[in-house]
Amino acid sequence: MFRTALRNVLAHKARLLMTVLAVTLGVAFVSGTLVFTDTLGKALSGQSAKSYDGIAVSVTSWGPSRTEDGTKEGEPGISQQTLEKVKAVKGVDTVSGRVSGFAGVGDENGKLIGSGWANKGSNFVPVKDGKDPRYTFTDGAGPAKDDQIALDKESAAKGGYKVGDKVRVATNGPVKEFTLTGVFTTEDGAVNAGGSLVLFDTKVAQELYLQPGFYDELAVAAKAGTSADQLLADVKPLLDGKHTKAQTGKELAAQQAKDIEKQMSSFSTMLLAFAGISLFVGVFLIYNTFTMLVAQRTKELALLRAVGAKRGQVMRSVLAEALVIGATSAAIGLAAGIGLAVGMRSLMDSIGAKIPSGDLVIAPGTVIAALLIGVVVTTLAALLPAWRTGRIAPVAAMGSAHLPATAKSLVVRNVLGSLISLAGIGTVFLGVSMGGDGRMVIGAGAALMLIGMIVLLPLLSRPVIGAVRPLLQKVFGVPGKLAAQNAVRNPRRTAVTAASLAIGLTLVTTLSVLGITMGTAVDRMSTDKLKADYKVSMAGGMGGLDKSVAETLAKAPGIKAVSPQADGYFKVGDSFRSASGVNPATIGDLLNIEVTSGSLAALGKGEAAVAESTAKKQNLTVGSTLQVQFEDGQKGALRIGAVYKDLEGLLSPYVLDNKVLSAHTDQQHVREVYVNATAGDSKAGQQAVIDALGKNPAMTVATQQDMRNEMGGIINTMLNVMYGLLGMALIISVLGVVNTLAMSVFERTQEIGMLRAIGLDRARVKNMIRLESVVISLFGAVLGMGIGLFLAWAVGSTVAKSVPGYELILPYGRLGVFLLLAAVVGVLAAMWPARSAARLNMLTAIKTE
């Protein structure tokens, strides 16, 4: 029986090739994801470990904390005195005090070099012979004066800088000019992520990022013969345990490796989810393939039964075929996945996301997973067709090789499908009623709905396809009528084929509607709520602006109105309330704030404005007084002077004069600054703002259109990534349509011969097969899109309250494209089966049993 199974595998190469391809694609996606994430994780961990070479103990600080009354406790970092104490410990060779923060370097055109969030500044610490062990200089030396810097090699090359050149560097405040004294290479993760690294003199770095005489980190090197553990035990008693942490270099590297593994796990999970979708869709194709093969071999299997083969033996022979196909597909998929991982790595390098060098990691678990997935998925999909083979009676060997399907009742299936579908719909509505907490419930309901749809599809196929039969007959004549009849001849098979397309288009439609709706909501917020000509912020969203930015802009020529949007908070009882600090005199000209009671003029008197939803929750009205405690621990009474309609994303629930808010904090986070220029929204107006900022490369001056484009670009990029990941599932769906049509042609060989004999020419035979394919494809597409629209509404309803201006948008153009693509899929999938049908010899076909 095993030899019979192998022979059957080789006897149906063309059709089995589609099954092999489907399983191979799914396994390649899974194994490629695992190899890529393992390789990337190991490379990043290796790079992290390199950065701690020579460090026996690392001491880090998280700065002061606040006590119950709001006062600060602890020093801003690790003091110079602590450094000297650590340096005096027996067994310590050297101690390097480090400080770091944001630093942006501009090229010759003033544009930021690097990716914003990965642009760092630190200090140069000469330990021995004037060298810093963390950096290898390829040209020049480290900075020794206040007006000097060193720059990493790649950033220097991008900016065209050489030793001796003047370089404009920006932190959170005004841009400054420094002399470049050296160029270096480094294993720093920020640089390898496509950012830049600027090294300052220690004194300058402390002034920029912390406070003179303090450090963020101490890197302790041990003398020969001194263990890191012993050194750690000696250093710990010298530290303030509440605000500092000491670890060995090995512990720190291991912790970072674990953090990297966790980050890779999230990325891997997302990719594996899409691989799972592809494999799930592939199950339908494999099921159809084995159903077709069993139908083709009905007479052969019956003969085996007649000569003594038992039901179990016949069933096991079909499962043996599935095992052979699964193992072969898994091996090919694993090889393809390794190639995919190499390609993904090259792609990331080409788009500037530099990945550290390292060997390709093919873990034993990846190999085992690939083999198991390939074999298990194929075997499970073939299980039902294999079970049916055992039920073939020996007497079938004396009759037709492919007996007509029995008209078995679908009542049980339809009742079960209806119950599952209703349960799914009910679960989705339950999730909607729960608001923002109900998204997981909606997800569970969506899964039940898809399962119910798959079960109900045979019932749905007859009325839905029957409804379009008159149109097909009217437009395409006899081929159209025959195509509609053929599409519902075997409703189970049509359902299985349509299901694979429906699943893919359900996901694509849901993502598209939500993405476009959110993009439109953001666009409306920018258009309706933001009156400012420009928004100034840090490039890449890295950190906040210095408070001097708003002050500088307010004094600059060509600027009409300026207001910061500064973050802060205060306490009312035990609860924290977030607040925005603004300029009361100008905020009304920059944001469209709709006041429902009171007046914004109250902000200038030291009073607060509160968002309408917060006012209702906290039972606040104009004239209400709050007893508050500010960030610095000072207490006071805060009167409510205005209530305004919510501006989530633009303002916090409470708004204060920034003079009041900033008076109670040392380092205020200014998220952005809104600006109106005398020249308005124009090139001249934008240039006036840029000039006022000293052409600072670390700050962006965005127009309203820039803001819309930024958010729209992010959403479109995410959608394109999702479309790409779901594309594999749709490719497998196409293979499923090809399989179904090939099976349909095989079963109707005699019928097609008769049609040819009574006058249906080759062109109309091809047209009949194509139309059947298009009908099945559009049937699956319409069902998938319908469920996708319902799920998009459900998920959208859970975020509507938190997104100002949210209103469900139906992208008719994009939905039309999806339908068109489904029709194209049908035409392409029908090419081979239609050609095969048209080439049948009519006399041979008529004689076929």
Side-chain angles (χ1 to χ4, degrees), residues 73-416:
E73 180 183 60
E75 296 180 324
I78 304 168
S79 67
Q80 183 67 36
Q81 289 81 2
T82 301
L83 184 149
E84 296 298 336
K85 289 178 183 177
V86 172
K87 199 172 183 179
V89 170
K90 183 181 179 182
V92 170
D93 187 20
T94 60
V95 181
S96 305
R98 304 285 176 178
V99 187
S100 62
F102 170 80
V105 179
D107 60 17
E108 59 182 7
N109 298 316
K111 291 185 178 179
L112 183 69
I113 296 172
S115 52
W117 63 269
N119 292 331
K120 285 177 57 180
S122 188
N123 58 318
F124 175 71
V125 186
V127 178
K128 289 183 178 180
D129 304 322
K131 295 180 180 179
D132 189 326
R134 287 196 180 183
Y135 312 107
T136 302
F137 279 80
T138 58
D139 193 14
K145 297 181 180 179
D146 292 357
D147 62 347
Q148 296 178 341
I149 61 162
L151 191 59
D152 70 275
K153 187 177 180 180
E154 290 201 13
S155 298
K158 289 176 184 176
Y161 293 120
K162 296 179 181 178
V163 172
D165 288 348
K166 297 293 183 182
V167 182
R168 293 166 62 79
V169 181
T171 51
N172 290 18
V175 65
K176 295 179 181 179
E177 197 169 72
F178 295 85
T179 301
L180 184 65
T181 63
V183 176
F184 59 88
T185 59
T186 177
E187 293 294 334
D188 190 283
V191 175
N192 284 292
S196 62
L197 179 60
V198 181
L199 295 182
F200 301 95
D201 177 67
T202 296
K203 181 182 175 184
V204 174
Q206 288 175 329
E207 290 173 350
L208 286 172
Y209 301 126
L210 205 58
Q211 193 172 308
F214 289 91
Y215 304 92
D216 293 317
E217 176 195 359
L218 299 183
V220 184
K223 289 180 180 178
T226 303
S227 71
D229 292 332
Q230 180 58 51
L231 203 58
L232 179 66
D234 293 338
V235 167
K236 273 187 175 181
L238 305 175
L239 306 175
D240 173 9
K242 290 184 179 179
H243 305 97
T244 56
K245 183 179 181 181
Q247 294 173 280
T248 64
K250 286 184 178 179
E251 287 174 341
L252 198 55
Q255 181 61 49
Q256 290 211 356
K258 191 177 289 185
D259 293 341
I260 289 168
E261 185 180 347
K262 190 180 292 184
Q263 293 169 2
M264 288 296 102
S265 176
S266 301
F267 178 58
S268 177
T269 301
M270 182 192 75
L271 292 179
L272 289 175
F274 286 97
I277 293 167
S278 299
L279 286 167
F280 184 62
V281 171
V283 166
F284 296 104
L285 188 152
I286 299 163
Y287 169 81
N288 257 356
T289 299
F290 277 91
T291 300
M292 176 169 63
L293 295 176
V294 169
Q296 284 180 308
R297 290 160 42 207
T298 301
K299 188 170 183 178
E300 174 192 328
L301 295 169
L303 280 169
L304 288 172
R305 291 292 316 282
V307 298
K310 297 179 180 179
R311 286 188 177 187
Q313 287 179 303
V314 175
M315 179 177 174
R316 286 194 294 272
S317 73
V318 176
L319 289 177
E321 291 179 48
L323 283 169
V324 171
I325 293 168
T328 304
S329 304
I332 298 171
L334 177 61
I338 293 169
L340 181 65
V342 173
M344 289 172 69
R345 183 169 180 167
S346 300
L347 176 64
M348 291 190 72
D349 281 337
S350 67
I351 61 176
K354 186 181 175 185
I355 296 176
S357 59
D359 296 331
L360 200 66
V361 178
I362 306 172
T366 300
V367 177
I368 293 169
L371 293 174
L372 281 177
I373 288 168
V375 171
V376 170
V377 168
T378 309
T379 304
L380 286 176
L383 198 58
L384 184 58
W387 176 73
R388 287 175 181 164
T389 62
R391 302 181 65 198
I392 296 173
V395 72
M398 296 181 290
S400 172
H402 38 85
L403 298 172
T406 58
K408 209 168 190 182
S409 173
L410 293 172
V411 173
V412 175
R413 177 171 181 155
N414 294 337
V415 170
L416 184 63

Side-chain angles (χ1 to χ4, degrees), residues 785 811-822:
M785 290 167 63
Y812 295 107
R814 197 164 294 199
L815 295 177
V817 170
F818 294 160
L819 280 176
L820 180 62
L821 287 174

